[in-house]
Amino acid sequence: MGVGPSTKETSLHHFRDPLLDVVSKDNDVDLVGIVIVGTPQNNEDKYFVGQRVGAWAEAMRLDGVIISVDGWGNSHVDYANTIEEIGKRGIEVVGLSFVGTQAQFVVKNKYMDTIVDFNKSAEGIETETVGENTVTELDAKKALAMLKLKMRKRADK
Amino acid sequence: MVDSDIKEMRRLVIKSFHITEASFSDKTEIMGQSLYLRKNIVDDITKDEPLIHSVNIEIIKPNEHDRWVNSIMDIIPISAKVLGRLGEGITHTLTGIYVMLTGVDTEGVQVAEFGSSEGILKDKIVLNRPGTPGENDIILLCDVVLKAGEGSFRTGPTAAHRVCDKMVQEIRDKLKKLNGRYCTEKHEFYDVIKPNRKRVAIVKQVAGQGAMYDTHLFAKEPSGFAGGRSIIDMGNVPIIVSPNEYRDGAIRAMH
C-alpha cells in the first residue's frame, strides 16, 4: 500500500504547494525549512527515519511542526511513528493526511489529536481520480491555525 | 521588501510566460503565446532507451477531455533555470500548458502502484487543483509504452520520467532564452529568517519504496528529472529543503 492516484502530490503540486505558500506568508511564524522524509519498506527503517526527523526537529529548536503525507495504509505506520518522535520531544505537531472512511489510522498515539483530513470525495475513499483528495489552501490554513493555537496554549502553561 | 528585523537569505524570481496555443512544427519554438513542438522529437528522446517500446506525444486542448488516457504518472510544470542555482536567481515557467505523463506496457498493464487512473480523462482528473491543470489549460501528453513487464521494476517508470524530461528539456532550452521583460507575470520569493517568532518546520513524508514509489530531489532544472537524487538511494533519511528551493521545483514526484 502507498500513494493512490487521488492523494498523489504531482510535481506540479510540489511546485505550487499551498501548504508552503500559507506557512511562509504568515508573519507570526518563522518557517525554518521543509523536511523531506521517505517511506521505507521495512519496519526497522520506518522507525529509523522517524527518529531522525525527531532529532532534526529537536536540533532546529522547533516550536511546532506540520507534517503532511500523500500516502496512506502502510504509510501511516511511518506517519504515526514520526509524529510520536516529534511530539515526545515537547514540540507541537499538526498532521495533514487523507483519512476519509477508507484510511482510518492503522496505528495511533496521543500526539495525533489534531489531524486535518484532506479527503474531498463524498464516499471518503481513494477514488482513483488524480487531484481529488489533495491538500488545498483551505486545508493548509486549517492546519496552521491549529498549530498556532497549540503553540499558544503551550506557551500559556 | 522585507521587515527590518527579518534577515533575507536569498531571492528567487519566477517569471511566467502564458501559452494559449500549442501545435507540432518543424522545430521547437516559443513565439508570443504559442508553443511549437518539433514533430519528430520522439525519435531523439527514445534513442538509447532499451526499456521503452514507444512514446506518443499529443496536445490535448481544454475542450478535448472526453478521451482515453493511460494511468497518469505525473503532472509536470515546464520550468527552466535561467540564472543562479535552484532556489535563487531567475526561473522561467510556462503557464497555460502542463505536461501529463502517462504509462502502460505492451501487454496493456498500467504503470501504477496503488490503484491506477487510466480511463476517460474527464473522469480521471479533478482540474483546478494545485497539482492539476486548470480547465482552460492545454495538456501536453507524453504517453510512454514500456516493454512488457517493465512497469513493475523501478527502472521502467524511471525511464518513462527520463524520456519525458528529455522532451521538456527541448522546450526549456527555448524558454531560457525568452526575454524576461516580456513575461506575463513576475513573482519574487525570499528565504528569510524571522527572529523572535515561533519556529516551525513543514515535514513532508514522501514515497520511497521502489517502482512507482520514488521521489527525486534537486534535479538540474526545476521539477526536472536529470541530475535528481532519489530519496530511496539516500536511504529515505530526512533531507532539509529551503522554502525557495522547494518552490523552485526541488521535488519530482516519481510515483
Side-chain angles (χ1 to χ4, degrees), chain B residues 43-82:
Chain B
D43 302 342
D44 298 302
I45 63 174
T46 51
K47 244 183 235 166
D48 309 317
E49 290 289 354
L51 304 180
I52 288 178
H53 172 267
S54 59
V55 174
N56 180 34
I57 295 171
E58 287 182 64
I59 291 157
I60 304 178
K61 303 231 164 87
N63 56 354
E64 295 173 350
H65 291 190
D66 196 4
R67 53 155 291 156
W68 173 269
V69 288
N70 286 315
S71 194
I72 300 164
M73 297 171 67
D74 201 8
I75 311 286
I76 306 148
I78 302 170
S79 310
K81 208 65 221 166
V82 177

Side-chain angles (χ1 to χ4, degrees), chain B residues 108-163:
Chain B
V109 178
Q110 297 293 328
V111 182
E113 189 254 351
F114 186 43
S116 58
S117 54
E118 76 280 8
I120 301 301
L121 178 57
K122 66 178 168 61
D123 303 328
K124 286 294 161 189
I125 193 163
V126 175
L127 301 170
N128 306 312
R129 285 283 160 83
T132 61
E135 58 194 6
N136 298 317
D137 292 335
I138 300 164
I139 293 171
L140 181 55
L141 176 70
C142 179
D143 181 40
V144 175
V145 182
L146 293 170
K147 289 188 180 157
E150 295 297 344
S152 345
F153 303 100
R154 209 178 134 195
T155 44
T158 301
H161 276 272
R162 186 169 51 237
V163 288

Side-chain angles (χ1 to χ4, degrees), chain B residues 11-22:
Chain B
R11 172 175 176 257
L12 168 68
V13 181
I14 299 183
K15 293 179 179 181
S16 67
F17 295 84
H18 196 62
I19 295 295
T20 54
E21 301 277 344

Side-chain angles (χ1 to χ4, degrees), chain A residues 75-95:
Chain A
S75 311
H76 277 162
V77 175
D78 314 53
Y79 188 64
N81 173 60
T82 304
I83 288 174
E84 187 168 17
E85 288 291 340
I86 298 163
K88 76 182 187 193
R89 287 169 163 84
I91 298 163
E92 297 297 344
V93 198
V94 168

Side-chain angles (χ1 to χ4, degrees), chain A residues 1-5 8-20 23-24 26-41 46 48-49 52-53 56 60-70 72 74-75 78-79 120 128-132 134-136 147 151 155, chain B residues 3 6 14 72-77 79 91 93 98 113-117 123-126 129-134 137 192-195 197-209 212-213 215 217 222-223 231 235-243 246-249 251-253 255:
Chain A
M1 290 198 281
V3 185
K8 180 202 303 265
E9 289 189 353
T10 63
S11 297
L12 180 61
H13 184 103
H14 289 291
F15 185 60
R16 40 187 203 193
D17 193 83
L19 180 58
L20 170 59
V23 179
S24 64
D26 192 302
N27 253 330
D28 295 340
V29 299
D30 180 22
L31 175 64
V32 302
I34 299 100
V35 180
I36 307 293
V37 62
T39 310
Q41 201 125 32
K46 287 180 187 299
F48 173 73
V49 301
R52 294 340 297 159
V53 173
W56 262 120
M60 290 168 150
R61 304 290 186 262
L62 296 180
D63 298 295
V65 168
I66 297 177
I67 178 166
S68 167
V69 61
D70 68 345
W72 54 278
N74 188 274
S75 311
D78 314 53
Y79 188 64
K120 310 279 185 296
E128 302 193 336
T129 304
V130 175
E132 185 158 20
T134 53
V135 174
T136 58
L147 184 67
M151 291 191 298
Chain B
D3 298 351
I6 293 177
I14 299 183
I72 300 164
M73 297 171 67
D74 201 8
I75 311 286
I76 306 148
S79 310
T91 291
T93 190
Y98 297 96
E113 189 254 351
F114 186 43
S116 58
S117 54
D123 303 328
K124 286 294 161 189
I125 193 163
V126 175
R129 285 283 160 83
T132 61
D137 292 335
V192 290
I193 296 170
K194 299 176 188 168
R197 268 70 157 196
K198 295 284 184 203
R199 294 162 66 86
V200 170
I202 293 171
V203 175
K204 285 250 183 176
Q205 185 187 321
V206 299
Q209 289 184 353
M212 272 312 285
Y213 202 67
T215 304
L217 292 108
S223 308
I231 194 86
N236 283 308
V237 294
I239 303 289
I240 314 292
V241 182
S242 89
Y246 199 98
R247 23 171 110 83
D248 205 13
I251 314 284
R252 172 84 169 205
H255 56 75

Side-chain angles (χ1 to χ4, degrees), chain B residues 17 27-31 35-38 41 45 77-82 92-94 164-179 220-222 226:
Chain B
F17 295 84
K27 59 177 196 169
T28 299
E29 208 70 63
I30 302 165
M31 273 157 57
L35 171 69
Y36 301 96
L37 190 66
R38 185 161 62 90
I41 191 168
I45 63 174
I78 302 170
S79 310
K81 208 65 221 166
V82 177
H92 284 178
T93 190
L94 294 182
C164 179
D165 195 51
K166 287 180 192 166
M167 172 191 78
V168 175
Q169 192 59 42
E170 186 160 319
I171 304 171
R172 284 190 193 113
D173 291 340
K174 299 294 175 184
L175 179 57
K176 282 173 199 281
K177 291 184 183 131
L178 294 183
N179 188 333
K220 287 201 180 90
E221 297 278 9

Side-chain angles (χ1 to χ4, degrees), chain A residues 97-156:
Chain A
S97 175
F98 166 70
V99 182
T101 56
Q102 193 176 26
Q104 298 296 317
F105 291 109
V106 286
V107 279
K108 260 196 117 171
N109 56 63
K110 65 172 178 176
Y111 305 106
M112 295 170 76
D113 54 341
T114 45
I115 304 286
V116 177
D117 175 8
F118 54 75
N119 164 64
K120 310 279 185 296
S121 70
E123 310 85 352
I125 58 162
E126 167 51 71
T127 54
E128 302 193 336
T129 304
V130 175
E132 185 158 20
N133 295 319
T134 53
V135 174
T136 58
E137 190 186 343
L138 185 63
D139 299 319
K141 282 182 171 166
K142 267 191 229 170
L144 181 60
M146 277 183 186
L147 184 67
K148 284 167 81 169
L149 192 64
K150 272 184 133 177
M151 291 191 298
R152 195 182 314 149
K153 273 188 184 161
R154 180 177 290 260
D156 290 346

